[in-house]
């Protein structure tokens, strides 16, 4: 294969869809790349760059993904489709990390006993909705691993406008249940 092969072109598109056209490498875009950059400081999953602090620098997820995309591209250029398929599995795992971080962050913010205490009703409802958006994005993967556990997470995170008690089991319980998946 060469760089003009449709498979190689599709591979390049995968990175473009992940990073987005507005991304400049700093998290300024609007796609999952930017989300990973935002969440790395919250979850200490940054590269630390020169200071070794896991709350600073680039997202380690994005650094790993770029490396995986390059590895897959080399496999495709060498005609090694099976090797590229193995890399895809690793890419999916890494792409899921910022989504799970989004679930956990907004579970925290929507739990009125912890994060949601300071929020206005509108902000609190926004946090609930964002939490549900991230949960819905990972729900098929969670459900494929453990349908009963996924249903428990869904019951805590599903957004219903005007719900007076989201994250009814509390952030710590949602966090512990999510940890059982990885």
């Amino acid at each position: 294969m060469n760089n003009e092969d449709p498979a190689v072109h599709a591979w390049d598109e995968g990175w473009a869809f992940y990073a987005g056209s507005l991304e400049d490498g700093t998290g300024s875009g609007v796609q999952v790349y930017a989300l990973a950059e935002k969440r790395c400081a919250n979850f200490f999953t940054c590269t630390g760059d020169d200071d070794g602090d896991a709350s600073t620098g680039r997202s380690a997820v994005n650094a790993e993904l770029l490396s995986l995309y390059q590895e897959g591209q080399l496999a495709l250029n060498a005609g090694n489709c099976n090797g590229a398929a193995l890399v895809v599995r690793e890419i999916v795992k890494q792409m899921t990390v910022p989504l799970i971080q989004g679930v956990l962050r907004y579970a925290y913010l929507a739990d009125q006993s912890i994060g949601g205490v300071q929020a206005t009703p509108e902000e609190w409802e926004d946090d609930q909705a964002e939490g549900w958006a991230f949960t819905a994005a990972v729900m098929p993967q969670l459900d494929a691993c453990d349908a009963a556990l996924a249903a428990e997470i869904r019951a805590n995170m599903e957004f219903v406008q005007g719900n007076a008690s989201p994250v009814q089991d509390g952030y710590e319980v949602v966090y512990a249940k999510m940890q059982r998946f990885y």
Side-chain angles (χ1 to χ4, degrees):
M1 286 187 211
N2 61 45
N3 285 335
E4 302 305 317
D5 189 275
V8 175
H9 179 71
W11 190 267
D12 290 343
E13 283 181 339
W15 177 258
F17 292 138
Y18 175 76
S21 62
L22 301 176
E23 185 56 57
D24 64 3
T26 65
S28 62
V30 295
Q31 299 294 77
V32 183
Y33 183 101
L35 175 66
E37 292 296 326
K38 289 178 189 174
R39 293 297 153 252
C40 80
N42 301 131
F43 289 90
F44 301 99
T45 54
C46 300
T47 59
D49 291 346
D50 296 331
D51 64 4
D53 181 352
S55 68
T56 64
R58 283 185 55 208
S59 162
V61 168
N62 286 340
E64 178 64 16
L65 276 168
L66 181 56
S67 176
L68 287 168
Y69 267 95
Q70 291 167 338
E71 180 182 336
Q73 185 178 41
L74 290 173
L76 287 173
N77 283 332
N80 182 0
C81 294
N82 290 333
L86 293 173
V87 173
V88 167
R89 291 185 185 138
E90 295 305 311
I91 286 172
V92 170
K93 290 177 189 176
Q94 288 297 309
M95 284 184 164
T96 305
V97 171
L99 302 174
I100 291 171
Q101 290 173 334
V103 171
L104 296 175
R105 176 166 172 76
Y106 288 99
Y108 177 85
L109 292 173
D111 182 345
Q112 283 194 314
S113 69
I114 306 174
V117 174
Q118 304 293 327
T120 67
E122 293 80 19
E123 291 169 329
W124 186 58
E125 197 163 76
D126 287 350
D127 292 339
Q128 293 174 56
E130 286 201 51
W132 172 239
F134 288 117
T135 304
V138 297
M139 192 55 64
Q141 291 174 319
L142 301 181
D143 192 59
C145 293
D146 185 329
L149 190 55
E152 292 174 32
I153 291 171
R154 179 187 183 118
N156 275 279
M157 297 302 296
E158 189 166 22
F159 176 68
V160 177
Q161 194 166 11
N163 182 4
S165 59
V167 194
Q168 67 261 12
D169 293 334
Y171 163 75
E172 290 87 2
V173 171
V174 170
Y175 186 90
K177 289 178 186 202
M178 286 296 285
Q179 281 188 313
R180 290 174 52 193
F181 285 104
Y182 53 91

